[in-house]
Amino acid sequence: MTKRSPPKRATVSSWFSRVIRERDEYRCQVCGRSFRGLKGLSASHHVPQGGRGALLALAWDLDNATAKCDVPGGYPRGCHAWMDAHPLHHAEWIRDHIGEERYQALKVRSVAPPKMTPELKMNIYEHLKSELKRMEALRRDGVTGTLTMEASW
């Protein structure tokens, strides 16, 4: 049996972005504007992704991102840019949005993230694909609103 190579970072990031937007029903979690079928919504990270090494695992942490708009709105470039420009408000918003327990756990992971290995990368990739498939089935069944997710790999 041959061992599969882990996917490229861009591939995992693309799946991650799709999962976050689907989880949040293609709606900006700050202003509430719907972007289903439209451009202008991104999976905005709370803790910066980092280029390499330790913080790379946080780039695909499901508690580390929400859908935020990148179009003119509450700030010249949308809610994503507004939150980035106002880090104290952003931190309070994250805590309110994901809850105190998950916020504190994310803070711990931001200081001591898991080491990214090829196996972890493959597990994350497979988990994201599985979650997107599950969420799309829920949407076809008429489930609306923000979906809960299995956040661990």
Side-chain angles (χ1 to χ4, degrees):
M1 177 186 237
T2 58
K3 192 173 182 180
R4 289 179 29 194
S5 297
K8 295 183 185 294
R9 178 179 179 171
T11 301
V12 181
S13 294
S14 175
W15 279 93
F16 177 81
S17 181
R18 290 174 62 194
V19 165
I20 294 300
R21 288 178 284 145
E22 183 66 51
R23 177 197 66 192
D24 293 343
E25 201 174 18
Y26 287 86
R27 185 172 299 282
C28 176
Q29 296 299 291
V30 179
C31 70
R33 183 174 172 192
S34 177
F35 285 84
R36 186 166 295 282
L38 303 173
K39 294 183 179 188
L41 189 69
S42 66
S44 169
H45 290 84
H46 308 311
V47 178
Q49 303 176 52
R52 296 177 166 226
L55 286 181
L56 183 56
L58 269 153
W60 306 313
D61 185 311
L62 300 171
D63 278 340
N64 188 33
T66 51
K68 294 189 189 95
C69 65
D70 284 320
V71 297
Y75 195 69
R77 296 171 307 233
C79 295
H80 186 175
W82 191 93
M83 287 291 192
D84 286 351
H86 300 88
L88 295 177
H89 291 286
H90 192 198
E92 289 176 11
W93 183 87
I94 297 164
R95 180 179 286 144
D96 291 344
H97 189 71
I98 67 173
E100 184 66 30
E101 185 176 329
R102 287 170 50 202
Y103 177 79
Q104 292 302 327
L106 179 60
K107 279 178 57 177
V108 168
R109 290 192 306 276
S110 75
V111 175
K115 183 178 179 348
M116 181 54 67
T117 63
E119 293 79 19
L120 178 58
K121 188 177 184 184
M122 182 61 81
N123 288 343
I124 291 169
Y125 175 66
E126 294 297 334
H127 179 73
L128 292 171
K129 287 177 22 178
S130 171
E131 278 296 288
L132 185 61
K133 184 177 180 179
R134 183 185 67 81
M135 289 187 297
E136 287 173 339
L138 289 170
R139 296 290 187 217
R140 282 191 303 274
D141 289 342
V143 177
T144 61
T146 299
L147 299 172
T148 58
M149 301 178 66
E150 289 291 323
S152 63
W153 11 87

